[in-house]
């Protein structure tokens, strides 16, 4: 009976990788492929995490965040909602949310804001939120002004 190595020495089949028989060489190649795939997934996950953090917290994406939040709240309240300051979200176990320079201008009276808020910050317990509970800490509201406008006839 000829061994696996003898067949290769007579020009039959492919030569073994690293001196191993074919079945072991395929196993080694599969292990390397799985390791590369796993490493690639880890690197991709880390890069995606950094990108999400950058989009939520860095000044580079401030305009995107302000426009997104302003459009969302404009749609929700049915009034224009403007953000002249900044919007930041720092994701962590306790997520910090920061909004500054927000206002709701009057649609009918020029140069009048129905509401203005200089600063709104709070911390949100992310694990509690994932458990369908809202747990807010360290709520800060600064410079809140609300103008109640009534019609002339009351």
């Amino acid at each position: 009976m000829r061994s696996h190595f003898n067949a290769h020495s007579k020009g039959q089949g492919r030569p073994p990788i690293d001196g191993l028989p074919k079945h072991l060489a395929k196993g080694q190649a599969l292990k390397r492929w799985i390791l590369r795939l796993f490493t690639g997934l880890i690197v991709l996950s880390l890069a995606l995490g950094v990108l999400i953090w950058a989009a939520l917290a860095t000044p580079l994406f401030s305009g995107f965040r302000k426009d997104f939040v302003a459009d969302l709240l404009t749609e929700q309240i049915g009034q224009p909602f403007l953000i002249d300051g900044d919007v930041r979200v720092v994701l962590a176990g306790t997520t910090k949310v920061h909004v500054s320079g927000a206002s709701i201008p009057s649609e009918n009276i020029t140069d009048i804001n129905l509401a203005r808020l200089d600063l709104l910050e709070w911390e949100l317990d992310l694990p509690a939120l994932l458990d369908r509970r809202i747990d807010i800490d360290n709520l800060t509201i600064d410079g809140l002004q609300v103008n109640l406008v009534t019609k002339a006839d009351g």
Side-chain angles (χ1 to χ4, degrees), residues 55-80:
L56 293 174
T58 63
L60 182 63
F61 294 99
S62 179
F64 165 75
R65 289 190 308 268
K66 289 186 331 185
D67 293 343
F68 177 78
V69 171
D71 292 345
L72 181 68
L73 291 174
T74 295
E75 183 180 315
Q76 292 293 316
I77 65 174
Q79 292 278 343

PDB file of all heavy atoms in Angstrom, residues 55-80:
ATOM      1  N   ALA A  55     -20.495  59.899  15.076  1.00  0.00           N
ATOM      2  CA  ALA A  55     -21.719  60.519  14.565  1.00  0.00           C
ATOM      3  C   ALA A  55     -22.571  61.090  15.694  1.00  0.00           C
ATOM      4  O   ALA A  55     -23.262  62.093  15.504  1.00  0.00           O
ATOM      5  CB  ALA A  55     -22.526  59.502  13.758  1.00  0.00           C
ATOM      6  N   LEU A  56     -22.541  60.489  16.871  1.00  0.00           N
ATOM      7  CA  LEU A  56     -23.381  60.932  17.975  1.00  0.00           C
ATOM      8  C   LEU A  56     -22.725  61.967  18.873  1.00  0.00           C
ATOM      9  O   LEU A  56     -23.426  62.753  19.509  1.00  0.00           O
ATOM     10  CB  LEU A  56     -23.808  59.729  18.825  1.00  0.00           C
ATOM     11  CG  LEU A  56     -24.748  58.737  18.151  1.00  0.00           C
ATOM     12  CD1 LEU A  56     -24.966  57.540  19.054  1.00  0.00           C
ATOM     13  CD2 LEU A  56     -26.068  59.387  17.803  1.00  0.00           C
ATOM     14  N   ALA A  57     -21.405  61.992  18.951  1.00  0.00           N
ATOM     15  CA  ALA A  57     -20.779  62.803  19.995  1.00  0.00           C
ATOM     16  C   ALA A  57     -19.758  63.830  19.531  1.00  0.00           C
ATOM     17  O   ALA A  57     -19.461  64.748  20.273  1.00  0.00           O
ATOM     18  CB  ALA A  57     -20.122  61.883  21.026  1.00  0.00           C
ATOM     19  N   THR A  58     -19.190  63.720  18.349  1.00  0.00           N
ATOM     20  CA  THR A  58     -18.115  64.629  17.971  1.00  0.00           C
ATOM     21  C   THR A  58     -18.649  65.853  17.221  1.00  0.00           C
ATOM     22  O   THR A  58     -19.692  65.795  16.577  1.00  0.00           O
ATOM     23  CB  THR A  58     -17.070  63.924  17.085  1.00  0.00           C
ATOM     24  OG1 THR A  58     -17.697  63.511  15.879  1.00  0.00           O
ATOM     25  CG2 THR A  58     -16.462  62.738  17.789  1.00  0.00           C
ATOM     26  N   PRO A  59     -17.927  66.964  17.289  1.00  0.00           N
ATOM     27  CA  PRO A  59     -18.352  68.177  16.584  1.00  0.00           C
ATOM     28  C   PRO A  59     -18.392  68.016  15.060  1.00  0.00           C
ATOM     29  O   PRO A  59     -19.103  68.745  14.388  1.00  0.00           O
ATOM     30  CB  PRO A  59     -17.288  69.211  16.976  1.00  0.00           C
ATOM     31  CG  PRO A  59     -16.679  68.702  18.220  1.00  0.00           C
ATOM     32  CD  PRO A  59     -16.764  67.211  18.151  1.00  0.00           C
ATOM     33  N   LEU A  60     -17.669  67.046  14.534  1.00  0.00           N
ATOM     34  CA  LEU A  60     -17.626  66.834  13.094  1.00  0.00           C
ATOM     35  C   LEU A  60     -19.018  66.594  12.496  1.00  0.00           C
ATOM     36  O   LEU A  60     -19.322  67.054  11.408  1.00  0.00           O
ATOM     37  CB  LEU A  60     -16.702  65.645  12.784  1.00  0.00           C
ATOM     38  CG  LEU A  60     -16.497  65.289  11.331  1.00  0.00           C
ATOM     39  CD1 LEU A  60     -15.819  66.439  10.589  1.00  0.00           C
ATOM     40  CD2 LEU A  60     -15.650  64.031  11.219  1.00  0.00           C
ATOM     41  N   PHE A  61     -19.887  65.886  13.214  1.00  0.00           N
ATOM     42  CA  PHE A  61     -21.221  65.546  12.722  1.00  0.00           C
ATOM     43  C   PHE A  61     -22.317  66.373  13.397  1.00  0.00           C
ATOM     44  O   PHE A  61     -23.486  65.987  13.373  1.00  0.00           O
ATOM     45  CB  PHE A  61     -21.500  64.055  12.924  1.00  0.00           C
ATOM     46  CG  PHE A  61     -20.616  63.177  12.101  1.00  0.00           C
ATOM     47  CD1 PHE A  61     -19.494  62.580  12.656  1.00  0.00           C
ATOM     48  CD2 PHE A  61     -20.885  62.956  10.767  1.00  0.00           C
ATOM     49  CE1 PHE A  61     -18.670  61.769  11.901  1.00  0.00           C
ATOM     50  CE2 PHE A  61     -20.077  62.142   9.998  1.00  0.00           C
ATOM     51  CZ  PHE A  61     -18.957  61.552  10.564  1.00  0.00           C
ATOM     52  N   SER A  62     -21.966  67.507  13.985  1.00  0.00           N
ATOM     53  CA  SER A  62     -22.934  68.328  14.709  1.00  0.00           C
ATOM     54  C   SER A  62     -24.088  68.781  13.814  1.00  0.00           C
ATOM     55  O   SER A  62     -25.245  68.738  14.219  1.00  0.00           O
ATOM     56  CB  SER A  62     -22.237  69.543  15.316  1.00  0.00           C
ATOM     57  OG  SER A  62     -23.161  70.348  15.996  1.00  0.00           O
ATOM     58  N   GLY A  63     -23.794  69.218  12.607  1.00  0.00           N
ATOM     59  CA  GLY A  63     -24.839  69.675  11.693  1.00  0.00           C
ATOM     60  C   GLY A  63     -25.831  68.579  11.362  1.00  0.00           C
ATOM     61  O   GLY A  63     -27.051  68.802  11.339  1.00  0.00           O
ATOM     62  N   PHE A  64     -25.338  67.382  11.134  1.00  0.00           N
ATOM     63  CA  PHE A  64     -26.211  66.242  10.845  1.00  0.00           C
ATOM     64  C   PHE A  64     -27.142  65.962  12.021  1.00  0.00           C
ATOM     65  O   PHE A  64     -28.346  65.759  11.844  1.00  0.00           O
ATOM     66  CB  PHE A  64     -25.371  65.005  10.522  1.00  0.00           C
ATOM     67  CG  PHE A  64     -26.142  63.716  10.567  1.00  0.00           C
ATOM     68  CD1 PHE A  64     -27.006  63.384   9.544  1.00  0.00           C
ATOM     69  CD2 PHE A  64     -26.001  62.855  11.644  1.00  0.00           C
ATOM     70  CE1 PHE A  64     -27.724  62.195   9.594  1.00  0.00           C
ATOM     71  CE2 PHE A  64     -26.710  61.671  11.696  1.00  0.00           C
ATOM     72  CZ  PHE A  64     -27.573  61.345  10.672  1.00  0.00           C
ATOM     73  N   ARG A  65     -26.585  65.945  13.246  1.00  0.00           N
ATOM     74  CA  ARG A  65     -27.400  65.666  14.434  1.00  0.00           C
ATOM     75  C   ARG A  65     -28.456  66.739  14.648  1.00  0.00           C
ATOM     76  O   ARG A  65     -29.618  66.433  14.941  1.00  0.00           O
ATOM     77  CB  ARG A  65     -26.503  65.557  15.667  1.00  0.00           C
ATOM     78  CG  ARG A  65     -25.652  64.332  15.712  1.00  0.00           C
ATOM     79  CD  ARG A  65     -24.974  64.171  17.070  1.00  0.00           C
ATOM     80  NE  ARG A  65     -24.244  65.345  17.506  1.00  0.00           N
ATOM     81  CZ  ARG A  65     -22.957  65.556  17.275  1.00  0.00           C
ATOM     82  NH1 ARG A  65     -22.258  64.682  16.594  1.00  0.00           N
ATOM     83  NH2 ARG A  65     -22.364  66.639  17.714  1.00  0.00           N
ATOM     84  N   LYS A  66     -28.048  68.010  14.505  1.00  0.00           N
ATOM     85  CA  LYS A  66     -29.003  69.105  14.705  1.00  0.00           C
ATOM     86  C   LYS A  66     -30.144  69.008  13.706  1.00  0.00           C
ATOM     87  O   LYS A  66     -31.318  69.132  14.080  1.00  0.00           O
ATOM     88  CB  LYS A  66     -28.305  70.467  14.561  1.00  0.00           C
ATOM     89  CG  LYS A  66     -27.393  70.787  15.698  1.00  0.00           C
ATOM     90  CD  LYS A  66     -26.789  72.161  15.708  1.00  0.00           C
ATOM     91  CE  LYS A  66     -26.563  72.848  14.418  1.00  0.00           C
ATOM     92  NZ  LYS A  66     -25.861  74.127  14.547  1.00  0.00           N
ATOM     93  N   ASP A  67     -29.831  68.801  12.439  1.00  0.00           N
ATOM     94  CA  ASP A  67     -30.876  68.707  11.414  1.00  0.00           C
ATOM     95  C   ASP A  67     -31.793  67.515  11.656  1.00  0.00           C
ATOM     96  O   ASP A  67     -33.010  67.620  11.513  1.00  0.00           O
ATOM     97  CB  ASP A  67     -30.247  68.595  10.021  1.00  0.00           C
ATOM     98  CG  ASP A  67     -29.518  69.856   9.608  1.00  0.00           C
ATOM     99  OD1 ASP A  67     -29.754  70.923  10.223  1.00  0.00           O
ATOM    100  OD2 ASP A  67     -28.687  69.781   8.668  1.00  0.00           O
ATOM    101  N   PHE A  68     -31.214  66.382  12.029  1.00  0.00           N
ATOM    102  CA  PHE A  68     -32.014  65.182  12.270  1.00  0.00           C
ATOM    103  C   PHE A  68     -33.001  65.393  13.413  1.00  0.00           C
ATOM    104  O   PHE A  68     -34.197  65.117  13.284  1.00  0.00           O
ATOM    105  CB  PHE A  68     -31.097  63.991  12.569  1.00  0.00           C
ATOM    106  CG  PHE A  68     -31.845  62.736  12.896  1.00  0.00           C
ATOM    107  CD1 PHE A  68     -32.420  61.986  11.884  1.00  0.00           C
ATOM    108  CD2 PHE A  68     -31.968  62.305  14.205  1.00  0.00           C
ATOM    109  CE1 PHE A  68     -33.126  60.828  12.177  1.00  0.00           C
ATOM    110  CE2 PHE A  68     -32.665  61.148  14.509  1.00  0.00           C
ATOM    111  CZ  PHE A  68     -33.245  60.406  13.495  1.00  0.00           C
ATOM    112  N   VAL A  69     -32.504  65.903  14.551  1.00  0.00           N
ATOM    113  CA  VAL A  69     -33.359  66.115  15.721  1.00  0.00           C
ATOM    114  C   VAL A  69     -34.394  67.204  15.440  1.00  0.00           C
ATOM    115  O   VAL A  69     -35.576  67.059  15.780  1.00  0.00           O
ATOM    116  CB  VAL A  69     -32.519  66.455  16.967  1.00  0.00           C
ATOM    117  CG1 VAL A  69     -33.397  66.886  18.127  1.00  0.00           C
ATOM    118  CG2 VAL A  69     -31.670  65.257  17.359  1.00  0.00           C
ATOM    119  N   ALA A  70     -33.990  68.296  14.800  1.00  0.00           N
ATOM    120  CA  ALA A  70     -34.927  69.388  14.497  1.00  0.00           C
ATOM    121  C   ALA A  70     -36.042  68.902  13.565  1.00  0.00           C
ATOM    122  O   ALA A  70     -37.216  69.202  13.796  1.00  0.00           O
ATOM    123  CB  ALA A  70     -34.181  70.564  13.872  1.00  0.00           C
ATOM    124  N   ASP A  71     -35.701  68.143  12.532  1.00  0.00           N
ATOM    125  CA  ASP A  71     -36.722  67.620  11.616  1.00  0.00           C
ATOM    126  C   ASP A  71     -37.651  66.650  12.323  1.00  0.00           C
ATOM    127  O   ASP A  71     -38.872  66.683  12.113  1.00  0.00           O
ATOM    128  CB  ASP A  71     -36.064  66.925  10.415  1.00  0.00           C
ATOM    129  CG  ASP A  71     -35.338  67.893   9.499  1.00  0.00           C
ATOM    130  OD1 ASP A  71     -35.573  69.122   9.611  1.00  0.00           O
ATOM    131  OD2 ASP A  71     -34.529  67.423   8.677  1.00  0.00           O
ATOM    132  N   LEU A  72     -37.107  65.795  13.165  1.00  0.00           N
ATOM    133  CA  LEU A  72     -37.915  64.829  13.893  1.00  0.00           C
ATOM    134  C   LEU A  72     -38.904  65.528  14.827  1.00  0.00           C
ATOM    135  O   LEU A  72     -40.094  65.203  14.847  1.00  0.00           O
ATOM    136  CB  LEU A  72     -37.010  63.885  14.690  1.00  0.00           C
ATOM    137  CG  LEU A  72     -37.706  62.798  15.487  1.00  0.00           C
ATOM    138  CD1 LEU A  72     -38.357  61.780  14.570  1.00  0.00           C
ATOM    139  CD2 LEU A  72     -36.716  62.117  16.416  1.00  0.00           C
ATOM    140  N   LEU A  73     -38.413  66.506  15.588  1.00  0.00           N
ATOM    141  CA  LEU A  73     -39.296  67.211  16.524  1.00  0.00           C
ATOM    142  C   LEU A  73     -40.277  68.127  15.808  1.00  0.00           C
ATOM    143  O   LEU A  73     -41.409  68.297  16.266  1.00  0.00           O
ATOM    144  CB  LEU A  73     -38.467  67.984  17.546  1.00  0.00           C
ATOM    145  CG  LEU A  73     -37.718  67.086  18.534  1.00  0.00           C
ATOM    146  CD1 LEU A  73     -36.808  67.903  19.430  1.00  0.00           C
ATOM    147  CD2 LEU A  73     -38.694  66.270  19.366  1.00  0.00           C
ATOM    148  N   THR A  74     -39.889  68.720  14.692  1.00  0.00           N
ATOM    149  CA  THR A  74     -40.823  69.530  13.894  1.00  0.00           C
ATOM    150  C   THR A  74     -41.999  68.672  13.449  1.00  0.00           C
ATOM    151  O   THR A  74     -43.159  69.086  13.532  1.00  0.00           O
ATOM    152  CB  THR A  74     -40.106  70.136  12.668  1.00  0.00           C
ATOM    153  OG1 THR A  74     -39.113  71.048  13.130  1.00  0.00           O
ATOM    154  CG2 THR A  74     -41.078  70.863  11.752  1.00  0.00           C
ATOM    155  N   GLU A  75     -41.703  67.472  13.010  1.00  0.00           N
ATOM    156  CA  GLU A  75     -42.761  66.557  12.577  1.00  0.00           C
ATOM    157  C   GLU A  75     -43.642  66.128  13.744  1.00  0.00           C
ATOM    158  O   GLU A  75     -44.858  66.050  13.617  1.00  0.00           O
ATOM    159  CB  GLU A  75     -42.113  65.327  11.926  1.00  0.00           C
ATOM    160  CG  GLU A  75     -43.112  64.344  11.376  1.00  0.00           C
ATOM    161  CD  GLU A  75     -42.429  63.151  10.748  1.00  0.00           C
ATOM    162  OE1 GLU A  75     -41.449  63.342   9.986  1.00  0.00           O
ATOM    163  OE2 GLU A  75     -42.854  62.016  11.030  1.00  0.00           O
ATOM    164  N   GLN A  76     -43.039  65.885  14.898  1.00  0.00           N
ATOM    165  CA  GLN A  76     -43.786  65.410  16.061  1.00  0.00           C
ATOM    166  C   GLN A  76     -44.713  66.470  16.649  1.00  0.00           C
ATOM    167  O   GLN A  76     -45.831  66.158  17.049  1.00  0.00           O
ATOM    168  CB  GLN A  76     -42.826  64.919  17.143  1.00  0.00           C
ATOM    169  CG  GLN A  76     -42.081  63.667  16.774  1.00  0.00           C
ATOM    170  CD  GLN A  76     -42.993  62.468  16.661  1.00  0.00           C
ATOM    171  OE1 GLN A  76     -43.864  62.257  17.486  1.00  0.00           O
ATOM    172  NE2 GLN A  76     -42.798  61.687  15.615  1.00  0.00           N
ATOM    173  N   ILE A  77     -44.257  67.723  16.728  1.00  0.00           N
ATOM    174  CA  ILE A  77     -45.071  68.755  17.385  1.00  0.00           C
ATOM    175  C   ILE A  77     -45.891  69.585  16.406  1.00  0.00           C
ATOM    176  O   ILE A  77     -46.752  70.354  16.823  1.00  0.00           O
ATOM    177  CB  ILE A  77     -44.209  69.681  18.271  1.00  0.00           C
ATOM    178  CG1 ILE A  77     -43.217  70.500  17.440  1.00  0.00           C
ATOM    179  CG2 ILE A  77     -43.502  68.891  19.344  1.00  0.00           C
ATOM    180  CD1 ILE A  77     -42.442  71.520  18.242  1.00  0.00           C
ATOM    181  N   GLY A  78     -45.620  69.457  15.126  1.00  0.00           N
ATOM    182  CA  GLY A  78     -46.398  70.213  14.134  1.00  0.00           C
ATOM    183  C   GLY A  78     -46.040  71.691  14.069  1.00  0.00           C
ATOM    184  O   GLY A  78     -46.803  72.479  13.523  1.00  0.00           O
ATOM    185  N   GLN A  79     -44.931  72.080  14.645  1.00  0.00           N
ATOM    186  CA  GLN A  79     -44.427  73.457  14.631  1.00  0.00           C
ATOM    187  C   GLN A  79     -42.956  73.400  14.247  1.00  0.00           C
ATOM    188  O   GLN A  79     -42.290  72.407  14.520  1.00  0.00           O
ATOM    189  CB  GLN A  79     -44.530  74.100  16.028  1.00  0.00           C
ATOM    190  CG  GLN A  79     -45.916  74.366  16.526  1.00  0.00           C
ATOM    191  CD  GLN A  79     -46.468  75.670  15.945  1.00  0.00           C
ATOM    192  OE1 GLN A  79     -45.742  76.499  15.440  1.00  0.00           O
ATOM    193  NE2 GLN A  79     -47.772  75.814  16.016  1.00  0.00           N
ATOM    194  N   PRO A  80     -42.427  74.469  13.663  1.00  0.00           N
ATOM    195  CA  PRO A  80     -40.986  74.470  13.389  1.00  0.00           C
ATOM    196  C   PRO A  80     -40.199  74.372  14.700  1.00  0.00           C
ATOM    197  O   PRO A  80     -40.547  75.008  15.698  1.00  0.00           O
ATOM    198  CB  PRO A  80     -40.737  75.820  12.720  1.00  0.00           C
ATOM    199  CG  PRO A  80     -42.059  76.313  12.285  1.00  0.00           C
ATOM    200  CD  PRO A  80     -43.088  75.677  13.164  1.00  0.00           C
TER     201      PRO A  80
END
